[in-house]
Amino acid sequence: MGGSSVIWIVGDSCIARAHQRLQIYPPGTLLSFLPTQVVIQWFGVGGMRWEQVLLKFAAQMRIAMPPDILVVHCGGNDLGRVSQRELIRVMRCDLERIMQLAPNVKIVFSEMVSRIHWRFVNTWEAIERSRKVINKQSAGIVRKMGGFIVRHKYVVTGDPGYYLKDGVHLSQVGLDIFVLGLQDGIERALGECVGGARPA
């Protein structure tokens, strides 16, 4: 696969459903904008929790060369189950381990998006505060590693138009905006890659 930039996109149902959503789009829209020499591999798993990110990355590393860019969107399913402090600690350790396994990878951290309904929590306000703190701390960690952040600031918090009736999963409109955020992060990361591609 010489000359190609390889991108792995790992995450929870947002990633799995975004991948499905993209199948309906004609070439030249959303992530299809990428050059033909760019190869994207999707690893989206509904219900994925943070502890599975490193496991998935390490498993793929055993059968493939490391990617040039790793996009990670995960952690939302841990809120309310794992303490804020512990989740930040584990995220830091796992991201550092990923960099040890693949020192040249560019990490794109896709921040956790809001939900109308959070499971395993008592108050919406408390979990939203925790989500914002974890996003901020994780963003700082990734930036120090030379990575990039996708903030999803256009997925408006609590707006029912961006969510399905369950208040958890993004609607088609929400997914489209979510993917545009991923596209922006990938574009920025590609700009840091040598010639936008893996050396032959």
Side-chain angles (χ1 to χ4, degrees), residues 6-11 41 43 45 48-72 94-108 198:
V6 177
I7 302 169
W8 292 357
I9 304 180
V10 178
Q41 295 177 274
F43 305 98
V45 180
M48 179 181 246
R49 295 181 61 183
W50 182 267
E51 63 186 11
Q52 296 171 267
V53 171
L54 178 57
L55 293 174
K56 172 60 71 175
F57 185 83
Q60 286 303 121
M61 285 282 290
R62 287 195 287 270
I63 60 175
M65 293 289 290
D68 298 286
I69 297 169
L70 172 67
V71 181
V72 180
D94 288 352
L95 291 169
E96 289 175 348
R97 180 57 180 155
I98 286 171
M99 292 301 297
Q100 291 172 354
L101 292 172
N104 296 320
V105 72
K106 289 292 180 183
I107 295 177
V108 176
R198 181 194 298 271

Side-chain angles (χ1 to χ4, degrees), residues 6 31 34 51 54 88 109 114 125 154 157 161 163 174 181 194:
V6 177
L31 288 184
L34 295 170
E51 63 186 11
L54 178 57
I88 292 171
F109 177 74
S114 180
E125 292 79 8
Y154 296 113
T157 299
Y163 301 87
V194 179

